[in-house]
């Protein structure tokens, strides 16, 4: 275990989340530079949390307009505070999006209004059932060629890809919260297919994580 790792705490403003976010942001930025649109477009982040990622990425894409969202309205002030501190004028005010509440699913914008959506490190502490809300939102909000990028650690075909991922899963499970633990890529793929989406690409990332790229079924 990394001795510098703070105690496990999934709250979006916790020291643990800040630590985990700082570890993965540069490899993720590399993927985004390859996958995000090259023309002016709108990009949505689901489960923005503290806003650390969207505010780190936005300065690298002057041609894109970023839209944070989260189910916890309490984090909105922190997202806006970071945007102001970093002079990120290409970040909109956050919108309320709770993937367990269908009444909020289409708050971010009208149909086909986003060229990309990304969601980072959510499924290890969220129930797999939110995958259906995520995929339905994506199928509604994305343009025909738009992408949904989901980043995090996952099982593959019900197996752990590394011993460290198995250890991480056991640590999460030991907290006694039913939905905590690594989910399977296959379950996200099945949810996608129920909503007209499909897994287009599975990218190996550092620290035994994946970037999963979904798009509409053509």
């Amino acid at each position: 275990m990394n001795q510098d790792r703070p105690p496990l705490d999934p709250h979006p403003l916790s020291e643990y989340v800040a630590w985990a976010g700082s570890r993965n942001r540069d490899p993720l930025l590399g993927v985004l530079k390859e996958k995000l649109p090259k023309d002016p477009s709108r990009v949505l982040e689901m489960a923005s949390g503290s806003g650390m990622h969207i505010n780190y990425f936005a300065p690298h894409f002057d041609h894109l307009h970023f839209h944070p969202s989260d189910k916890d309205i309490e984090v909105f002030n922190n997202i806006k505070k970071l945007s102001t501190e970093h002079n990120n004028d290409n970040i909109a005010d956050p919108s309320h999006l709770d993937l367990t509440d269908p009444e909020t699913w289409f708050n971010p914008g009208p149909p086909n209004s986003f060229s990309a959506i990304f969601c980072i490190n959510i499924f290890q502490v969220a129930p797999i059932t939110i995958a259906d809300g995520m995929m339905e939102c994506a199928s509604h909000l994305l343009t025909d060629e738009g992408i949904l990028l989901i980043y995090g650690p996952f099982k593959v075909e019900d197996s752990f890809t590394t011993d460290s991922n198995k250890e991480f899963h056991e640590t999460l499970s030991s907290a006694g919260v039913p939905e905590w633990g690594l989910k399977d890529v296959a379950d996200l793929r099945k949810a996608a297919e129920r909503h007209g989406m499909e897994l287009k690409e599975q990218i190996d990332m550092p620290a035994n994580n994946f970037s999963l790229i979904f798009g509409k079924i053509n």
Side-chain angles (χ1 to χ4, degrees):
M1 296 288 287
N2 189 320
Q3 297 302 311
D4 296 327
R5 176 184 292 182
L8 181 66
D9 181 355
H11 189 280
L13 302 182
S14 72
E15 290 184 7
Y16 175 85
V17 170
W19 171 82
S22 65
R23 294 174 73 231
N24 61 35
R25 62 186 186 181
D26 286 316
L28 261 171
L29 177 60
V31 173
L32 291 176
K33 285 182 175 179
E34 180 182 348
K35 300 298 181 181
L36 288 184
K38 303 301 186 283
D39 297 323
S41 307
R42 301 172 76 213
V43 177
L44 172 68
E45 181 181 26
M46 293 177 172
S48 295
S50 69
M52 74 173 90
H53 283 113
I54 204 165
N55 275 285
Y56 185 73
F57 299 146
H60 296 272
F61 303 94
D62 290 341
H63 64 293
L64 300 178
H65 201 251
F66 288 85
H67 294 255
S69 68
D70 204 274
K71 71 181 183 67
D72 295 320
I73 295 175
E74 66 176 296
V75 303
F76 285 8
N77 284 338
N78 198 75
I79 295 172
K80 291 189 282 189
K81 175 174 173 284
L82 288 179
S83 297
T84 300
E85 289 176 352
H86 291 86
N87 296 313
N88 287 333
D89 57 6
N90 61 335
I91 298 180
D93 285 343
S95 58
H96 182 220
L97 175 58
D98 183 344
L99 294 171
T100 68
D101 181 1
E103 292 187 2
T104 73
W105 286 355
F106 310 126
N107 284 346
N112 308 311
S113 58
F114 291 95
S115 294
I117 299 171
F118 64 93
C119 185
I120 298 169
N121 278 339
I122 187 65
F123 275 103
Q124 60 264 41
V125 292
I128 190 60
T129 51
I130 70 164
D132 278 292
M134 183 177 291
M135 296 301 170
E136 183 165 343
C137 283
S139 66
H140 173 86
L141 294 171
L142 284 173
T143 61
D144 287 345
E145 301 302 321
I147 63 165
L148 166 65
L149 185 155
I150 302 173
Y151 171 89
F154 294 96
K155 291 189 289 182
V156 177
E157 302 300 333
D158 204 32
S159 296
F160 297 102
T161 56
T162 64
D163 289 340
S164 61
N165 272 0
K166 182 179 180 181
E167 180 184 355
F168 184 39
H169 174 80
E170 291 171 348
T171 298
L172 290 166
S173 299
S174 69
V177 182
E179 61 264 30
W180 287 14
L182 270 60
K183 311 307 188 295
D184 200 302
V185 173
D187 291 325
L188 271 71
R189 191 171 61 244
K190 291 173 187 175
E193 291 170 356
R194 288 194 290 269
H195 299 281
M197 303 279 290
E198 63 182 352
L199 180 62
K200 303 279 190 180
E201 191 174 359
Q202 181 172 308
I203 303 170
D204 292 338
M205 301 290 290
N208 307 309
N209 292 317
F210 295 102
S211 286
L212 307 175
I213 309 291
F214 293 85
K216 293 184 179 181
I217 297 174
N218 297 323

